Every structure is written in C-alpha cells, then in structure tokens.
Amino acid sequence: MKLLLDSHALLWYVLNDSRRGTKRMCISTSRWFESEVMGDATVVRFTGAKTLDEQTSRAVAVELSALADKMAGRKLVLDFSAVEYLSSGALGVLLTLNKKLRDLGGNLSLINIEPKLYEILEVTKLNKLLNVSDHPQ
C-alpha cells in the first residue's frame, strides 16, 4: 500500500489488486463523501449527509470541484444511494460540475437515484442534460 497526501489534505492510497491485475485508488477523509478510482472512472459515494441542502451543497461543491480539477479526461460517477433530498443549490452544483468536467474532456454520471429524486430531475428537465443511470458505466 502506498500513501500520499495532497495539497487539499486528502489521503490517497493505492492498492494493487493482484487478482485483477489492476490498481484501485481511494480517497478518504472527506467530510461529505468517499471516492474510489475504478478503471477510467472515479466513483463518489455520498456519506456525510442524506440531504444536500443549500449549505451542504456549497461545501460539497468545493470538494467535488477540487476533485474534478485532477480528473482531466476521466469519468466522475456520483452515487446517490444514500441521498434523500436535493435542494436547488445541489442541482446547480451538478450542472456546474457537469460543465467543468466536459470542458476538461471528462463526463459526469449520476447513479442510484431514488424515484422521488429522479422526479425532481424530470420536472427540471435535468435528466435530459445529465447522464442518469442505475449502475456505473
């Protein structure tokens, strides 16, 4: 196992998975989410809040933006399985993050969206602008 500390005080560790012949990189110590590099994608699982309200979404936006800066040309997959509420601020964060990743040559996918959250995406037509699916791609 190799440990690295980056400028945002996030702890990165690299594991060699000898069974698959791949490396998996994880980021820990974020207050709001855990993330793991899997192949050409980084999967983010929200762990710090079930509701992404205005205040929380601003804090999450800062950390996700810093993560996106390091992901040129990669996929970012946000796993919403632990999220029960999205504010309008959180929707704005998703749009901003989607644009940033596209500008960097990457893309954003949302997975494991509960039906009531998906309904919000449908009403706002964000389901047409964002890649929403049941599983990581």
Side-chain angles (χ1 to χ4, degrees), residues 23-133:
K23 289 184 178 180
R24 294 169 50 162
M25 186 181 307
C26 300
I27 305 170
S28 63
T29 71
S30 169
R31 178 178 178 191
W32 305 109
F33 57 81
E34 296 174 350
S35 62
E36 180 177 10
V37 175
M38 300 175 70
D40 66 343
T42 298
V43 179
V44 170
R45 290 173 193 85
F46 293 100
T47 58
K50 290 184 178 188
T51 61
L52 293 178
D53 57 20
E54 300 299 323
Q55 183 177 2
T56 304
S57 60
R58 282 192 297 270
V60 169
V62 170
E63 292 190 32
L64 287 176
S65 181
L67 182 61
D69 287 337
K70 300 172 185 158
M71 296 186 51
R74 295 185 51 83
K75 297 176 190 173
L76 179 61
V77 179
L78 301 181
D79 183 342
F80 283 85
S81 56
V83 177
E84 298 174 356
Y85 172 78
L86 291 174
S87 69
S88 59
L91 298 177
V93 167
L94 293 175
L95 287 173
T96 301
L97 187 60
N98 187 53
K99 181 181 182 329
K100 181 175 195 166
L101 286 165
R102 276 196 333 237
D103 291 347
L104 293 171
N107 65 37
L108 176 67
S109 294
L110 313 179
I111 63 169
N112 298 324
I113 304 281
E114 289 190 20
K116 65 182 179 179
L117 297 182
Y118 188 80
E119 187 176 332
I120 293 169
L121 296 175
E122 280 184 318
V123 168
T124 58
K125 306 286 189 231
L126 293 180
N127 64 321
K128 304 292 184 194
L129 296 172
L130 302 171
N131 181 15
V132 182
S133 64

